[in-house]
Amino acid sequence: MDPVIWFFLLGVLAGLMRSDLRMPKAVYELLSMVLLLTIGLKGGVELAQQPVGGLVVQVLAVASIGLVIPLAVFSAIRALSSAPRADAASLAAHYGSVSVATYAVGVSFLATRNVPVDAQLPLFLVVLEVPAIMVGIVLAKGAAARSNWGGVMHEVFLGKSIVLLIGGLLIGWLSGPEGIEPLEPLFFDLFKGVLALFLLEMGLIAANQASGLKRRATLVILTAILTPVPAAMLGIGVGHVIGLNVGGMTLLGVLAGSASYIAAPAAMRIAVPDANPSLSLSASLGITFPFNIFIGVPLYYGAAQWLAGAGA
Amino acid sequence: MDPVIWFFLLGVLAGLMRSDLRMPKAVYELLSMVLLLTIGLKGGVELAQQPVGGLVVQVLAVASIGLVIPLAVFSAIRALSSAPRADAASLAAHYGSVSVATYAVGVSFLATRNVPVDAQLPLFLVVLEVPAIMVGIVLAKGAAARSNWGGVMHEVFLGKSIVLLIGGLLIGWLSGPEGIEPLEPLFFDLFKGVLALFLLEMGLIAANQASGLKRRATLVILTAILTPVPAAMLGIGVGHVIGLNVGGMTLLGVLAGSASYIAAPAAMRIAVPDANPSLSLSASLGITFPFNIFIGVPLYYGAAQWLAGAGA
Amino acid sequence: MDPVIWFFLLGVLAGLMRSDLRMPKAVYELLSMVLLLTIGLKGGVELAQQPVGGLVVQVLAVASIGLVIPLAVFSAIRALSSAPRADAASLAAHYGSVSVATYAVGVSFLATRNVPVDAQLPLFLVVLEVPAIMVGIVLAKGAAARSNWGGVMHEVFLGKSIVLLIGGLLIGWLSGPEGIEPLEPLFFDLFKGVLALFLLEMGLIAANQASGLKRRATLVILTAILTPVPAAMLGIGVGHVIGLNVGGMTLLGVLAGSASYIAAPAAMRIAVPDANPSLSLSASLGITFPFNIFIGVPLYYGAAQWLAGAGA
Amino acid sequence: MEITERKLLTIVAESVLEPRLIEVVDKMGAVGYTITDARGSGSRGARSAGWTHNGNIRFEVICTGEIADRIAAHLREHYYANYAMVLFITDVGVMRPDKF
Amino acid sequence: MEITERKLLTIVAESVLEPRLIEVVDKMGAVGYTITDARGSGSRGARSAGWTHNGNIRFEVICTGEIADRIAAHLREHYYANYAMVLFITDVGVMRPDKF
Amino acid sequence: MEITERKLLTIVAESVLEPRLIEVVDKMGAVGYTITDARGSGSRGARSAGWTHNGNIRFEVICTGEIADRIAAHLREHYYANYAMVLFITDVGVMRPDKF
Ligand SMILES: Nc1ncnc2c1ncn2[C@@H]1O[C@H](COP(=O)(O)O)[C@@H](O)[C@H]1O
Ligand SMILES: Nc1ncnc2c1ncn2[C@@H]1O[C@H](COP(=O)(O)O)[C@@H](O)[C@H]1O
Ligand SMILES: Nc1ncnc2c1ncn2[C@@H]1O[C@H](COP(=O)(O)O)[C@@H](O)[C@H]1O
Ligand code: NA
Ligand code: NA
Ligand code: NA
């Protein structure tokens, strides 16, 4: 197993046993900043080296995943449970959007196996972050609602993660491989170490979320376990259609199957305040995140390999 | 001299001259987290490569050091001074337990000289952290006291340092040398730099502690200067008996001769509240820590070499 | 363009668009601590390798730059504007003192072009930080004022940046190139990455300062744009006279042309409280800093090349 | 020294509300505020300061009783139902009454 | 707007006591608390927030006068002798008296 | 439980003043203080806690009314004109009056 995963487990155990191990907020923010910039820079450098044709069509196809997943999740929850509209919409937004930490674990998994990945995946990460959040808001309130649409959009589009990902992409693209070289010791060489520390904190948080799970536990657990695989399969399928390689299909599957725990919660809290924030967070952080990094990533890789083989 | 030691001196000077140099708490915690994980990971990897026989016997022998030292320190202080029972017990706990920073300086010292160290030393670090704290509590209150024994044990065993050391050991052991390789840039290559920054902060704190030394100064100074060497000799001797190499004997001496400034103060503050916390901290941080890193480490190394030579 | 500059632009854009991207204070302090130590260590190691003759004369010549610039800036502002004495003196102090971040960008610029730099430049950085601040205080209050002269001097000389720069210099000098080797992964290899993150934050702050620019905007803008180039030329000229190489002349120009945003504001706030702190900060951080890293550094390099060529 | 009475309105709320509270306080006519980061526990469970979107802030406004009432009424109407929030009012003395 | 009187109990104490204070407050019947990190100085010397186990916390509880008295009495009995601790009580007005 | 009245003097000021405030409070006869980091906004604009020299502190002193007056008068004379600073006084009850 990829050793970074052990750090997540260590965090979970420490959290469940109520250790006083805690990561200062400033450290968490430094680590996430470095991760986001690393992902962006790496993508930008690769885009600079191998320009990708037909990017617009691919982006549209990927964005459509971000529309389909939340609609499906919302319909399923509303059809099969008595959850209020707001909670169903919020869960839909979380599962339609993406988790950078899950993506990073996927990158690390593929790197260990030397599986090449298409250059445009970090771009797809950006593309997938936002649409589902908008869909979730519309599902909760109707498009015409008097909601402070501008403020929410500002928050989502200028949120830290989008800014750092796009910023990294552009800087990597403008600088190219030689330009970026002096930045490599911090942003590339330390990647796995930074990810390990980050996952330690994720484990602590996940333990907290999972043990806080009380209300509507059935809804949360079922959503958290049943959503990732079909969503990931959709991602892998779309990846196949738009011509990604096995690594690219895998990561698009990881993105589709992952659930947001930063951008979506923040936006939902403001735009859909009557949704219970702890439902979505327990689901995405407490269950789906561990599910994906332990079971999901290898599974999606297997599926991508199979599909690539079948298609060949 | 090992350049990391200069950073300690720089911190001391800045502290004594009342510079506004200060390390944010979050940074201190990041650095100590990385140091603890580094020590654990390194030990785990080495244990994975060269399994150690007779570990149980060794661990018992090492743990006994953690019982003998506090009993000796307590008896001596009570016999030779008028210090109250609680203060004597607290000092005993501090000197029986260990200092990770001193250990790290010892590791750095031996690494500079390319002296090999037995794989099990990080494990001994864990083993030595706890027993003396329990002895100290019993000495202060008697074993039957109504004290919140469970709470204190929880705090000690699930304290940050134990969790990260054991976690690192296990992850290193499970991952092995190749598995850990991608983590090396952060945890191994940066080790000395991280230690340097950490010692800078230690210097600032030590200056503060030393200059805060007022009450019972004689007791504090004598305890802090007279305890390390005999305690270290006990450690070196035990190391020799259980068959450690010169590096291992040196580090076991360093551990025995070092005084805790994180786990013991926290536990004593709760379990023995009538002990004056600043006595033990001035002694361990303000005097023993600098004594050990400047004089103790080379001295213990010399003693270990001599003993190994005499035994041969 | 040096990729680290893009990070500054990213910060400025994020700041102007009011993104929620923010760097925790603790991270900012960690980064600046590492930068200061890196600059000091590098200089110390180089001084250890190639001892510099005539250093005293050079230091005096450089210190005189720190007296001439503030006097000139003060006279010009008082002659040409209606700005109160205190504000003119404060601006003078800021422009006579130096900016470590600008210096670091200069170092990075020259490193990319493999331009060698004299070993004593980090020492000159220290030398230039203080005198202008004293001149500014005297200009504001007269030398005989009842001001708490001791307190201010203490604050300036024992400020974080002086302590870390001098500390780094001494440690580098005492340890020499081999001694410092184990510290290189943190302090040297990560230099550009750390600088990139630091400039990201500088961009966020600069955007804030520039958009806060309201009162006395003409004075601020003119001072901020007209001071750097002549000041830098003075620095380059002095560098030529005292026999620096092209890299050294460039960096002395960068130092002279840069404006302080840490030491000077802190000292002025206490010693000259009736000066409006936001005037000087908007000028130095909001305008001069970006001016120097985009236009100044290459310009000063060109001038140094030309002068070196003309002199040859 | 002349001391004038004013009200100190203290709001403890989830930190995600910071920009909203600033807006509200401004709109209701207060001329300043002070914020500290906090953690705590209440009817909506424990809120730790550690993780980004899960901490509290402690938001203070010195103002006239009238403005305090207006802010409190607004918050009650728009935020009490859905957000972790506690609000209390203290009598305080200030030296420059025109400032608040 | 109807304002009801409650007590605000503020405790400044060494941060190592945080879990104990939470327990005490809970046991004495208060339904919430707010904590901020602090530093300071008093009869037991200066306490800086910088270093892990050496800072203070500022612990606030809004509650009835009766509960405030109970908490204060308990703390006085168990903690005053051996810990850095200061405690003061303020009258505050709240809008939802059933909440405290 | 016997409660004695004291004054709680709260000063919100730019953080660069921390050492000065400590000196003043000490010189005026108070025996302790508590500090928390803060951010805020007032007549001198917004002050964020993020960047080193630009944050606020929230400085509290429990003392007698007389000492509170002396501190307040001193601050007004020496700091009000040139520094971002707000000051307010609250009545508080304490259990160990000899301590303050
Ligand atoms: N009784 C109380 N005393 C002090 N602070 C409280 C109290 N109740 C709630 N709080 C604070 O207000 C926040 C929100 O409260 P609630 O909406 O009750 O969850 C909590 O996280 C606490 O920080
Ligand atoms: N007079 C005071 N005013 C404000 N805070 C105080 C006062 N005295 C003590 N404190 C705070 O309470 C903590 C413990 O006080 P003590 O037990 O007197 O050392 C100190 O570290 C300060 O933070
Ligand atoms: N009305 C107010 N209520 C609460 N805090 C205030 C108020 N006015 C100012 N402050 C605080 O005091 C600091 C200095 O205020 P000022 O001198 O008015 O800029 C501000 O940065 C705020 O933190
Ligand atoms: Na998804
Ligand atoms: Na020991
Ligand atoms: Na200058």
Side-chain angles (χ1 to χ4, degrees), chain B residues 69 94-98 255-259:
Chain B
I69 292 175
H94 282 71
Y95 280 86
S97 185
V98 295
L255 286 173
S258 75

Side-chain angles (χ1 to χ4, degrees), chain E residues 11-14 38-48 54-57 80 83-88, chain F residues 7-9 25 30-35 59-63 96 99-100:
Chain E
I11 303 154
V12 181
E14 45 192 294
R39 55 191 176 277
S41 177
S43 57
R44 286 175 187 262
R47 305 187 59 78
S48 73
N54 198 25
N56 283 335
I57 53 171
Y80 272 25
Y83 292 99
M85 182 179 287
V86 151
L87 185 154
F88 57 90
Chain F
K7 296 293 179 186
L8 170 65
L9 180 70
V25 155
V31 299
Y33 56 84
T34 296
I35 302 174
F59 194 105
E60 292 176 301
V61 191
I62 310 165
C63 54
R96 292 177 291 182
K99 201 172 152 58
F100 304 101

